[in-house]
Amino acid sequence: MFVTHADNPVVRCVGAVVHDAAGRLLLIRRATEPGRGQWSLPGGRVEPGESDTAAVARELREETGLDVRVGALVGSVRRGPYLIFDYAADAVGGDLLAGDDASEAAWVTSAEFTRLDEGNMLVAQLAETLAEWRVLPRA
């Protein structure tokens, strides 16, 4: 955690935008607040002394069972006290299995993503943000 110039605590977090070879997007269903029960990108808090790259790899392994190669920064968002940096990543190993803060993990097609969005099952502003970043599911 670090403190902004306004003395408002900010929690640095990371997330991953992962597509499979078919163009599906990796999402997790949050098991804890904020957003419990909603679908989001996998990710979480950066631990003290940890790089963003290491945090992305650790969080993906904990939440999805997948090993990833972390790529470039896709974008960042502020959600309350959380400042989230989302990185592109490629799955390079492991088996998809929800764990840690995720109750489910799934590869989601464009049609499935749209249904989740229309059913208000995505965390706030996820669809709009991913559309702006041009990283929606392609399958």
Side-chain angles (χ1 to χ4, degrees):
M1 183 164 72
F2 58 91
V3 178
T4 67
H5 55 80
D7 293 330
N8 293 326
V10 174
V11 180
R12 186 177 183 94
C13 297
V14 292
V17 177
V18 185
H19 292 94
D20 69 3
R24 297 176 302 174
L25 178 67
L26 180 62
L27 294 180
I28 57 101
R29 191 168 196 173
R30 296 196 47 79
T32 60
E33 295 297 344
R36 183 180 180 160
Q38 295 182 303
W39 291 87
S40 185
L41 297 176
R45 295 179 189 203
V46 177
E47 299 294 333
E50 188 176 38
S51 70
D52 283 4
T53 300
V56 170
R58 176 184 51 76
E59 287 288 344
L60 268 283
R61 185 69 165 139
E62 289 173 359
E63 290 188 351
T64 70
L66 297 177
D67 296 316
V68 296
R69 180 178 52 246
V70 182
L73 178 67
V74 175
S76 63
V77 295
R78 176 81 186 257
R79 301 281 184 256
Y82 304 102
L83 182 57
I84 308 163
F85 296 87
D86 289 312
Y87 291 84
D90 294 314
V92 295
D95 294 310
L96 185 62
L97 178 65
D100 195 34
D101 294 336
S103 61
E104 295 179 59
W107 293 106
V108 178
T109 66
S110 179
E112 291 164 337
F113 187 87
T114 298
R115 281 193 295 277
L116 290 171
D117 186 28
E118 290 171 350
N120 295 314
M121 294 300 297
L122 298 175
V123 295
Q125 299 178 317
L126 181 64
E128 297 84 356
T129 301
L130 296 183
E132 180 182 318
W133 293 345
R134 297 183 180 148
V135 294
L136 289 168
R138 299 181 294 268

